[in-house]
Amino acid sequence: MAEIEIRPFAAGDADDVLSVILPIQREEFGIDISADAQPDLRVIPDFYQSRKGQFWVAVKDGAIVGTLGLKDIGNNQAALRKMFVAAEVRGSEHGVAARLLERMFAHARAVGLADIFLGTTDKFVAAHRFYEKNGFTEIAKDALPRSFPLMAVDSKFYRYRVG
């Protein structure tokens, strides 16, 4: 089994990040979305890798196979966005999603974040179970901070209290 490396997004990763995310959104989940509708993915350093935020990629055999963005939304709070893992490396035997989340939690503690929020769609049922298993609690939409970046497709929301 090839080793999976979790590292921060670097210059030159943008196209590979899109090549992981877009097929999952469009083909697996039938969400009609384009790269142009996700401008944050073209400016990852500015959008995610500023203040207390970060963006990580999971790399296997030189190819990006997973992503996770953490957007600083102020007040020691952040939004988890763009967590995607390629189908061929999903599941506990690979541990890609768990390792991405562990890296994010360690970062959140190190930079003093208090809460991490996320929005997802009703379609990502396996993701809901994964988030709940890893300490996220479902919350009502009106419990989100005002600064939370709502996406039109989001219909289910979670909070993780850091520390």
Side-chain angles (χ1 to χ4, degrees), residues 2 4 10 13 28 30 33 37 45 52 59 74 95 102 114 116-117 119 121 128 136 138 142 150-151 157 163:
I4 306 278
D13 289 340
E28 284 188 52
I33 193 166
K52 295 182 179 185
V59 181
E102 286 168 15
I116 299 169
F117 296 90
T121 76
H128 304 161
F136 284 84
E138 187 173 356
D142 63 10
L150 272 174
M151 301 291 290
F157 304 93

Side-chain angles (χ1 to χ4, degrees), residues 146-158:
R146 272 209 257 259
S147 58
F148 182 82
L150 272 174
M151 301 291 290
V153 296
D154 290 345
S155 55
K156 196 170 176 84
F157 304 93
Y158 288 91

